[in-house]
């Protein structure tokens, strides 16, 4: 298995006096999908915001063997990009301008052109609407735009916060397929989800977070078979009827 | 007759537009009306006046404009540093910015009054003849020069905001500074850029107003009120709205002054603003401005 691109050691996050994440340790394997699952309010968003540098943290984060900068905009320049919960595209700007903002850290115009073409190839929808106000897109289209905007920075690590939230089931399947395709192209993915089952079917490795603590970890397939995980997150239904690998090209 | 009036009105409106846009660009990102802008315009007018007089023969006008713009950038960044930056780090409510900006404006005007008195200083003439003719129509050299410079600067600004990478970053920070960070943008740098732009605009409009009117401590504050009216009518924070509103305001004012006299004109102008606010509070640019608040 590949090396760890990110190592999180004893990380704590406080909101005022209230501590939301209590000393978490995690390893993120390079080129893999690592899922972070857990119920609402568990601290998943807080963990990736701490990685992004948008909240203050204690403890250590090593990225490619070196301490990771705590400054949010620098983190993006280093190659770690977050696609935030609720998509957060820029309304009032066109689809194309949203994508160009994703490429803000890139100075090479040819590379930006290439990345833009890549996004349009994967989502022709976005090309059809490139001049349209991004705020007028449907929820599913906005999610595609948000992921594409993240990819426009040509990231080493892409963090996705609840990408399936509020989307119709067919579109959710598309999103998860797309996430695997991103991994297959060599990008390390950190996937935060409440949709535990699909995440465990999709990911290579997973952490389970509850009340700001890591309560379990393991390979996706192993956790799917774990009784505790089944009881709390999956209910009786423990098979991967939906197998994303069937649909992935190659 | 009315062609000259129209040119003169558009010329006045174009200067208002420079003022209004300096206002609007700060409002769009910071969500507060930077009343220090008026003080900056006055200070820049004095700086340009003394710069112009310091050399014999006086430097060409474009050098003075460049100097004044640079002075404005510096002054604007200093004001940001001493008046606003701490409010930003503390995430203070808007009323603090309002107070800080009014205070800065009053301070600047008082400093200028202490050092230079309330006298009017006439800007050295830059044209040998105050008018020129095309065919049978007579044009004011000053109005025409001011019009060309203002429109040129506005065009550059609109291009910069709409078409460049930094302009796009400014628009994204105006919409959402937190998400902009996730794009790799440093909002602190963007905000400083915005203050630098506002300062440059204050510097340029300071010279133009000094040439057109003369130099006195409240020059900027008077003009700022017009710029403020234009940026409100245009839809706070909208550049194109502010430009359009300012130019109409200039034309309106010149014609009103011609037909009603300079005493009743302000009453009509402010009356029009009140009506506009009642009828269409989001301004000409409507939708755009709503997103920002
Ligand atoms: N900005 C904030 N200020 C104060 N408390 C917060 C803030 N964001 C999250 N929290 C709290 O931190 C805990 C974890 O939240 P979050 O990381 O958003 O959970 P999740 O993403 O797993 O649903 C919750 O108790 C939440 O109320
Ligand atoms: Mg969350």
């Amino acid at each position: 298995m590949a090396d760890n691109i990110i190592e999180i050691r004893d990380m704590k996050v406080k909101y005022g006096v209230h501590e939301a994440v209590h000393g978490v340790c995690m390893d993120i394997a390079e080129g893999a999908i690592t899922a972070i699952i857990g119920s609402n309010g568990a601290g998943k968003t807080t963990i990736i915001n701490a990685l992004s540098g948008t909240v203050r943290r204690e403890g250590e984060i090593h990225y490619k063997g070196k301490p990771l900068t705590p400054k949010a905009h620098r983190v993006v320049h280093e190659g770690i990009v977050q696609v935030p919960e609720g998509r957060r595209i820029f309304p009032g700007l066109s689809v194309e301008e949203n994508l160009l903002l994703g490429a803000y850290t890139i100075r090479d115009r040819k590379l930006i052109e290439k990345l833009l073409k890549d996004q349009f190839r994967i989502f022709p929808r976005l090309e059809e609407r490139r001049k349209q106000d991004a705020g007028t897109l449907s929820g599913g289209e906005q999610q595609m735009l948000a992921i594409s905007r993240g990819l426009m920075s040509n990231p080493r690590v892409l963090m996705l916060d609840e990408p399936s939230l509020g989307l119709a089931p067919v579109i959710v399947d598309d999103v998860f397929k797309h996430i695997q395709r991103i991994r297959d192209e060599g990008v390390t993915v950190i996937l935060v989800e409440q949709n535990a089952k699909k995440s465990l079917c999709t990911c290579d490795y997973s952490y389970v977070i509850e009340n700001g603590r890591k309560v379990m970890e393991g390979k996706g397939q192993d956790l799917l078979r774990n009784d505790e995980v089944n009881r709390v997150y999956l209910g009786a239904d423990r098979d991967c009827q939906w197998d994303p690998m069937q649909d992935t090209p190659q | 007759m009315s062609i000259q009036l129209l040119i003169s009105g558009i010329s006045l409106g174009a200067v208002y537009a420079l003022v209004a846009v300096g206002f609007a660009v700060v409002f769009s990102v910071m969500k507060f009306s930077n009343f220090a802008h008026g003080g900056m315009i006055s200070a820049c007018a004095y700086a340009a006046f003394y710069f112009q007089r310091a050399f014999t023969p006086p430097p060409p006008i474009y050098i003075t404009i460049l100097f004044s713009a640079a002075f404005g950038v510096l002054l604007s960044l200093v004001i940001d540093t001493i008046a606003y930056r701490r409010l930003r780090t503390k995430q203070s409510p808007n009323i603090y910015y309002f107070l800080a900006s009014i205070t800065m404006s009053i301070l600047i005007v008082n400093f200028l009054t202490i050092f230079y008195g309330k006298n009017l200083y006439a800007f050295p003439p830059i044209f040998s003849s105050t008018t020129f003719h095309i065919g049978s129509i007579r044009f004011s050299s000053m109005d025409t020069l001011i019009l060309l410079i203002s429109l040129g600067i506005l065009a550059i600004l609109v291009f910069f905001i709409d078409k460049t990478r930094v302009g796009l970053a400014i628009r994204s920070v105006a919409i959402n500074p937190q998400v902009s960070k996730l794009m790799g943008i440093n909002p602190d740098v963007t905000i400083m850029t915005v203050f630098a732009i506002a300062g440059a605009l204050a510097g340029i409009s300071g010279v133009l107003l000094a040439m057109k009117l003369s130099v006195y401590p409240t020059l900027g504050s008077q003009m700022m009120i017009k710029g403020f009216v234009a940026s409100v009518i245009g839809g706070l924070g909208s550049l194109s709205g502010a430009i359009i509103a300012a130019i109409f305001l200039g034309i309106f004012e010149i014609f009103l002054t011609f037909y009603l006299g300079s005493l009743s004109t302000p009453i009509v102008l402010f009356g029009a603003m009140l009506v506009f606010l009642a009828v269409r509070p989001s301004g000409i640019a409507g939708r755009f401005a709503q997103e920002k608040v």
Side-chain angles (χ1 to χ4, degrees), chain A residues 92-106:
Chain A
L93 300 185
S94 70
V95 167
E96 186 173 358
E97 285 170 331
N98 268 273
L99 291 171
L100 291 176
L101 277 167
Y104 180 79
T105 53
I106 301 178

Side-chain angles (χ1 to χ4, degrees), chain A residues 94-156:
Chain A
S94 70
V95 167
E96 186 173 358
E97 285 170 331
N98 268 273
L99 291 171
L100 291 176
L101 277 167
Y104 180 79
T105 53
I106 301 178
R107 295 305 193 114
D108 178 354
R109 282 188 176 221
K110 287 232 176 67
L111 180 56
I112 295 176
E113 277 303 313
K114 179 196 164 286
L115 289 163
L116 200 60
K117 280 219 186 80
D118 289 349
Q119 307 312 317
F120 288 158
R121 199 187 57 240
I122 299 165
F123 298 121
R125 246 317 143 81
L126 295 181
E127 182 162 29
E128 288 161 26
R129 313 198 160 197
R130 69 195 283 177
K131 298 292 172 202
Q132 189 174 321
D133 180 344
T136 64
L137 298 181
S138 73
E141 288 166 345
Q142 289 194 6
Q143 186 61 62
M144 302 305 176
L145 175 59
I147 296 175
S148 286
R149 185 182 63 180
L151 290 171
M152 283 297 290
S153 68
N154 206 12
R156 288 284 295 269

